[in-house]
Amino acid sequence: MNRIEAKGKFFFLGDKKFYLQGVTYGPFRPRNKESSCLGTEEETRRDFALMHLAGINVVRVYHTPPGWFLDLAETYSLYVIITIPWHERTLFLDSTNTIREIESKVEEAASANAGHQALFGFYVDNEIPSDLVRWYGGAKMARFLDGLVSIIKNKDSEALVAYSNFPPTEYLLPQSVDFYSYNVYLHRRAEFRSYLSRLQHLSDERPLVLGEFGMDTIRHSQDEQAKLIEGHYEEVFRGGLAGTILFSWTDEWFTNGVDVDDWAFGLVDKERVPKKSYEVVKNKTISSTEGETVAQSYPLAVYPKVSIVVCSYNGGKTLRLCLDSLLELNYPDYEILLIDDGSTDHTPSIAKDYPTVRYKRQKNFGLSVARNAGATLSEGEIVAYTDSDCMPDKDWLYHLIKFMVENHYAVVGGPNISPPANSWIQAAVASAPGAPSHVMMDDQIAEHVPGCNIAFYKSVLEAIGGFDPDYRKAGDDVDVCWRIMQAGYEIGFSPAAVVWHYRRFTVKDYFKQQKGYGEAEALLRFKHINYFDDIGGISWHGVIYGKFRSSRFFHAPLIYHGVFGSGLFQSIYTKPYHFWLYLPLSLEWNLISALLLLLSFFWNPLKIVPLITIGCTLWCVIEFVIKTNIEAKHDSIRARLLLAYLGWLQPIVRGWARYFTWVSKKQTPKSVLMSEESHRHQKVSLTESGHMTFWSEGDQDRLALLGQIVCYLEEEGWKYAIDNGWTKWDINIFANRWWHVRLRTLTEIYPQGKRLNRIEIGLRPTTFSALLAILMALVGMVSWLKFPLLCLGVGVSLFLVLLVLYYKGLLLRKRLGELVQAAAFNKGMSILDT
């Protein structure tokens, strides 16, 4: 037997998935004064033989076993999880001596079994009472449990360690554990399925195991128990959990010095006679040693054909790994399409080595065009996307399609997890902020899933017009998710549909990626302004999942404890982010801090202000570095320092790219602004261009007028955005870096179908203009105290510049007014004097 490893959401035995299928064992009444609470060696041998026959592969015990126990478990290919017994249910954290006693017990248990091949790992405790956790607080208790984990790891680094939690302390989430485990006794299948989705999110990128589950056959029949466990296995493994442990193996149970006779949770009775549930387990277990998969054991009702599209631009470095993983998927009906978006590396030669992969090469039109090309060529009912730097799990497609077919979602995505890093730099980059992540509206419905792990019904993708070609590098997945929701569809999230996604290998590549994300955010803001905050960042309606979820000081999650802390499900609720939480790290804040620091050299009373603003930024960076996990073997001081650098500079780089794109990319060409209106129109004065009124003898209303305006804007090459239902304007014209022009319309209804259409054309300064004005005002105020005469001259000059800019803005409005007149004439409207 080899030791089990935790990788991402699953356990592995070598290169095969290990599905944990366990039972609890004991404690039993000691057979003599010298024996443990586990029975005799012969009794244990008999039990292990029956377990092995049923396909059970893990035994959970509640006391440290003697050496022969693990030896015997190895004989029957059983792994052992030891729950370390230190059950102090007093205010133990108030006593240094009690803490040392607990740590000593943990160290002894780890030393006694360290390195054994049959050792799966340890539970550092089981179900700490909810009122005790509430008394100390979840964070303090989690830190204590993390300390116990480190003691075990120091004795046996390969042992997998967890805390056996339960719903009343759902929020207790130690960070050093290898997997998360919950004892859950929900018997209603729908509620159980829903709660598993919740626990999957809490476990994040680590395996999720149910530490106890069962049904008593005194209060229920054996048929009920068998049916419940059959459904339990289906929900656990079809839902993508790493495993489950049934409570218990036998009805024999001894605790607190007495035999328990009024409960009978066993798969076998006290005499080891199998119950009906034993046969169910025997038929439902997945044989990891035989290479059996969850897809084979729990097949889907239907298997629609899937077209997997991989879009690559110079992705040759990881492309082979991607294609190799796709060829090994546990799904019966799929095709692979590789869309080469004009790569200049060795991508074409790699494609020749994969004859079963359909390959298309095109010019470098960008990511969205490549994705649309893949959808056009696809033959499947479902189109799934991943990237050339991703390696999907073998059951990736199974879990995606299961969620789509059974829940009727139009789109489904899953998590993307970073593979083990090769260096401390790569480990720091993998933990840096800004990585693509899912955004959840609730435990199953997403607001956004990354484009590296997403599947659509092809008909739905076609119905919304595919991906927007404007997004060449990033942002295409965000745009398409928002448009999917606006069209009335729902986006599902399958936590077990994992892809391993390589993060950037160098700091340079990381900042290049963040620059691309910043550009994409600027483009998204033009189209989806209702999703953006006041400083241009995306304001998600849901909750972002990732390594750094919330600020402990300013954004602590809400926890529902129930009245007097007695709730059976004491749930954790992460609050949506607000932009002001990011403000100290933003580009704007850093620029203002730098300016204030510069001005403080000229005016002494200002010196305290930059110290405060810079201190806030450092506080946020330090908190991020403390809370963020770095891969253990690469965690070091230099890695943490690099992470601090990345955490500080990332929002600045991203913000700069966002502003640069906002200012430069979405501008109407000067040739359009300076040209004469080519369609029939009347001359418009500067003062008349702000408000116009058009009379229609027919039924031509403002919607007809707006439609024609949009046609002319498109024909002439203007840059604009249309109201998406969340704004107070109808059309926003992106004129130049100084001005936007907004159109609002109103229709008055008169008898006999006559209409009076009013249109307001308003000038709006751009964000760039507003920021520049604020900065100039700050500089002017401070400079006035030192150089009043010079500032007066500069102020007059700036005022004249502002007048010129305003006059140019009026000319822009006049030019647009002529276009509006032309549109009105086209619709048979006549101009009225205002």
Side-chain angles (χ1 to χ4, degrees), residues 795-815:
V796 171
S797 301
L798 288 175
F799 179 73
L800 294 175
V801 170
L802 290 175
L803 285 179
V804 171
L805 291 176
Y806 182 66
Y807 176 72
K808 289 188 175 182
L810 293 177
L811 291 177
L812 287 174
R813 192 177 70 177
K814 176 177 178 294
R815 169 69 178 86

Side-chain angles (χ1 to χ4, degrees), residues 309-325:
V309 178
V310 180
C311 301
S312 179
Y313 174 69
N314 290 340
K317 188 173 184 178
T318 55
L319 182 58
R320 286 188 186 276
L321 294 172
C322 175
L323 296 178
D324 287 341
S325 64

